Amino acid sequence: MKIGVVNVGSRFSRERGEAIEAWFAANIPDGSIQIVIHPAAYQKHGHFGGDDAARTNAFVEFANDSRLDSVWFARGGYGACRIAEAALPRLTGVARKKHYLGYSDAGSLLALLYKAGFPHVAHGPLASDAVRDDAAAWRALNWLKSGDAASLEPSLLTDPRPAVAFNLTILNELMGTPLEPDLGGHVVMIEEVSEPLYRVDRMLFHLTHQAGMRRCAGIRLGRVSDIVENDPDFGLTPEEIVRYWCQRSGIPYLGVADIGHDSGNKVVPFGRRP
Amino acid sequence: MKIGVVNVGSRFSRERGEAIEAWFAANIPDGSIQIVIHPAAYQKHGHFGGDDAARTNAFVEFANDSRLDSVWFARGGYGACRIAEAALPRLTGVARKKHYLGYSDAGSLLALLYKAGFPHVAHGPLASDAVRDDAAAWRALNWLKSGDAASLEPSLLTDPRPAVAFNLTILNELMGTPLEPDLGGHVVMIEEVSEPLYRVDRMLFHLTHQAGMRRCAGIRLGRVSDIVENDPDFGLTPEEIVRYWCQRSGIPYLGVADIGHDSGNKVVPFGRRP
């Protein structure tokens, strides 16, 4: 298996790229799983890891490369929504067969690939983060290799409905745009990091009022971590906030999800499981 | 003229309420313009200035009170979107005749009042902020009293098209919800405060992709102040960001607007001017 790593968002450091390569050298010395990082991943353009054209080109090149089995997003950090629409029409049948894995900002691109009918798109560990934790790295690789059920978010093993997972901010911002997939009948899992709870509440006001969300099967809440302090205390927990907006909007609240901005982040393949 | 002050968002301190009363006592000693602060404005409920029911009741009570000519929002701070839908059906013909003034978080309520056809709704100084600066206070009062042209955002004097103005975050979050007014043919003015530029860019991705925004006459950019540092530097100015998304979406960029989270914030009455 050969995996291509691309960066579609903010800057990616060479040190983190070398950490990915070092993990593979140490843990898969027989080369049975190979990793290749697109050289454009280290470009710099203001906030971004290269300008929009460079990031688009690198993603398209790896997606269309028949020598690669999977595309793994290097890291999160804002930028994917700028390039998703331009990338899609350039993707070939080769790209359609690949597995795509990542989350956080990369969710913008995952959403559009899923909307376009790509069958192997999943929310799960990013390359740079995964190699900080062996379990996370193997969880990602085992899903990329074989769709290993042990890598999956546990509710997927018993709930047959199609699912998606997103960072709350990312999902909130892609609703109503060409990146929004059909969420009808889907279990929608959300997670968040580094936001104060008043913003989580405001995003759920917006999200649960969107026509596309009103058709989903329900919301599962992943971890909301590194919460920015609300002064005074907000007065509701993240789960109470989600329950409130679910009740108000008529969207079923389905319980927790084992996803989050952390090494425990489980894999959520988009759509129906085989 | 008698003005009622209400708080629809986060907590409002008694000190700020007393500062409003003191300004009126000092500057309008003849009582020709009277101010009354709803006692519920000082309630506390977690993050909020009273729970949703208390804030809704206070707003509805003052809006429907025939002894008051205007409703002035006390301050910004998240909360108005939670109560707007519940308040609207309780408003009477008396409420419809009043002037409503505020901005920032209060924009959620202004949007819904405008959508419901209330004719005197404006984005402009909040009560608490206005009395920190005499010019801002008189700008607000002169608009409430007579619609004084000197209070208006200058482009309104030459551009006959209907206009609205919003904090970018607030407008971004109300799109696609029942609070979204018809922006067809409107000049949409936006301003922002205390956000990093990558978030401004992400919000504009979302906003300029919304069907409702695609029908507007164009965007004017107010001040983007207290920008949270982007590390590294984002690489585009706020105006370059707005120009980029306007160009990409086909929404005309119309130039700057004299609005912002500051004492220079001019008044933008929603809709057509008389």
Side-chain angles (χ1 to χ4, degrees):
Chain A
M1 183 168 70
K2 195 166 182 183
I3 302 169
V5 172
V6 295
N7 177 28
V8 293
S10 58
R11 291 189 188 184
F12 180 59
S13 74
R14 201 166 285 275
E15 291 67 30
R16 292 305 307 156
E18 288 166 356
I20 294 172
E21 292 165 340
W23 189 92
F24 277 80
N27 289 276
I28 313 177
D30 67 358
S32 59
I33 305 179
Q34 289 173 32
I35 196 102
V36 52
I37 300 173
H38 197 291
Y42 305 118
Q43 288 193 20
K44 296 171 182 173
H45 184 81
H47 168 93
F48 302 100
D51 65 16
D52 288 355
R55 301 196 321 284
T56 308
N57 290 342
F59 172 70
V60 169
E61 188 187 319
F62 266 20
N64 288 342
D65 188 334
S66 59
R67 295 164 299 181
L68 298 171
D69 301 287
S70 304
V71 171
W72 201 2
F73 296 100
R75 58 155 299 178
Y78 175 68
C81 73
R82 281 181 153 252
I83 70 163
E85 285 172 274
L88 185 65
R90 295 172 56 193
L91 300 181
T92 66
V94 170
R96 191 167 284 267
K97 289 184 197 148
K98 280 198 174 59
H99 285 62
Y100 297 85
L101 181 63
Y103 77 117
S104 192
D105 178 72
S108 294
L109 202 36
L110 298 178
L112 188 59
L113 294 176
Y114 179 58
K115 181 181 182 179
F118 282 52
H120 308 299
V121 173
H123 181 280
L126 291 153
S128 176
D129 293 341
V131 299
R132 295 176 195 268
D133 181 283
D134 288 351
W138 284 113
R139 189 185 313 126
L141 294 176
N142 289 337
W143 180 77
L144 288 172
K145 204 165 58 178
S146 66
D148 188 359
S151 297
L152 301 186
E153 198 284 328
S155 73
L156 299 175
L157 302 177
T158 54
D159 188 336
R161 293 176 288 190
V164 292
F166 289 101
N167 172 265
L168 170 60
T169 297
I170 298 301
L171 178 58
N172 201 50
E173 297 290 15
L174 65 79
M175 296 304 291
T177 78
L179 278 49
E180 179 190 335
D182 180 2
L183 300 175
H186 286 62
V187 175
V188 178
M189 304 187 197
I190 54 176
E191 60 83 33
E192 191 51 280
V193 66
S194 305
E195 296 287 350
L197 291 183
Y198 82 88
R199 287 186 185 237
V200 171
D201 195 73
R202 189 164 59 194
M203 286 192 278
L204 280 156
F205 152 72
H206 178 253
L207 184 64
T208 59
H209 277 92
Q210 301 303 306
M213 274 299 288
R214 292 283 172 106
R215 295 190 293 269
C216 79
I219 293 177
R220 278 190 179 275
L221 178 61
R223 288 175 286 283
V224 178
S225 53
D226 292 331
I227 294 169
V228 176
E229 192 184 351
N230 209 86
D231 180 24
D233 184 71
F234 188 72
L236 296 171
T237 66
E239 188 169 16
E240 287 169 339
I241 291 171
V242 174
R243 281 182 185 279
Y244 169 79
W245 287 108
C246 278
Q247 183 168 33
R248 189 163 152 175
S249 64
I251 298 172
Y253 176 66
L254 303 174
V256 299
D258 191 8
I259 62 170
H261 259 78
D262 53 48
S263 63
N265 191 26
K266 299 301 188 296
V267 176
V268 180
F270 285 14
R272 300 194 175 280
R273 267 84 59 205
Chain B
M1 183 168 70
K2 196 167 182 182
I3 302 168
V5 172
V6 296
N7 177 28
V8 293
S10 58
R11 292 188 187 185
F12 180 59
S13 75
R14 200 166 285 276
E15 291 67 30
R16 292 305 308 154
E18 287 167 357
I20 294 172
E21 291 165 339
W23 189 91
F24 277 82
N27 290 276
I28 313 176
D30 68 358
S32 60
I33 304 179
Q34 289 173 32
I35 196 103
V36 52
I37 300 173
H38 197 290
Y42 304 119
Q43 288 192 22
K44 295 172 183 171
H45 184 81
H47 169 93
F48 302 101
D51 65 17
D52 288 354
R55 301 195 322 283
T56 309
N57 290 341
F59 172 70
V60 169
E61 188 186 320
F62 266 20
N64 289 341
D65 188 333
S66 59
R67 295 165 298 182
L68 298 172
D69 301 286
S70 303
V71 171
W72 201 4
F73 295 100
R75 58 156 296 177
Y78 175 68
C81 73
R82 281 183 153 251
I83 70 163
E85 285 172 274
L88 185 65
R90 294 170 56 191
L91 300 180
T92 66
V94 171
R96 191 167 285 267
K97 289 184 196 146
K98 281 199 173 59
H99 286 61
Y100 297 84
L101 181 63
Y103 79 116
S104 191
D105 179 72
S108 293
L109 203 36
L110 299 177
L112 188 59
L113 294 175
Y114 179 59
K115 181 181 181 179
F118 282 53
H120 309 299
V121 173
H123 182 280
L126 291 153
S128 177
D129 292 341
V131 299
R132 295 176 195 269
D133 181 283
D134 288 352
W138 284 114
R139 188 184 315 127
L141 294 176
N142 289 337
W143 180 76
L144 288 171
K145 204 164 58 178
S146 66
D148 188 359
S151 297
L152 301 187
E153 198 285 326
S155 73
L156 299 175
L157 302 177
T158 54
D159 187 337
R161 293 175 289 190
V164 293
F166 289 101
N167 171 265
L168 170 59
T169 297
I170 299 300
L171 178 58
N172 200 50
E173 296 289 17
L174 65 79
M175 296 304 291
T177 79
L179 277 51
E180 179 189 337
D182 180 1
L183 300 175
H186 286 62
V187 174
V188 178
M189 303 186 197
I190 54 176
E191 59 84 34
E192 192 50 279
V193 66
S194 304
E195 297 287 352
L197 291 182
Y198 82 89
R199 287 187 185 237
V200 170
D201 195 72
R202 189 164 59 194
M203 287 192 277
L204 280 156
F205 152 72
H206 178 252
L207 184 64
T208 58
H209 276 92
Q210 301 303 307
M213 274 300 287
R214 293 282 172 107
R215 294 190 293 268
C216 80
I219 293 176
R220 277 190 178 275
L221 178 62
R223 287 175 287 282
V224 178
S225 53
D226 293 331
I227 294 170
V228 176
E229 192 184 351
N230 209 87
D231 181 24
D233 184 71
F234 187 72
L236 296 170
T237 66
E239 188 169 17
E240 287 169 339
I241 292 171
V242 174
R243 282 183 185 277
Y244 169 79
W245 288 107
C246 279
Q247 185 169 29
R248 189 162 152 175
S249 64
I251 297 172
Y253 176 66
L254 303 174
V256 299
D258 190 8
I259 62 169
H261 259 77
D262 53 49
S263 63
N265 190 26
K266 300 301 190 295
V267 177
V268 180
F270 285 15
R272 299 193 176 281
R273 268 85 58 206

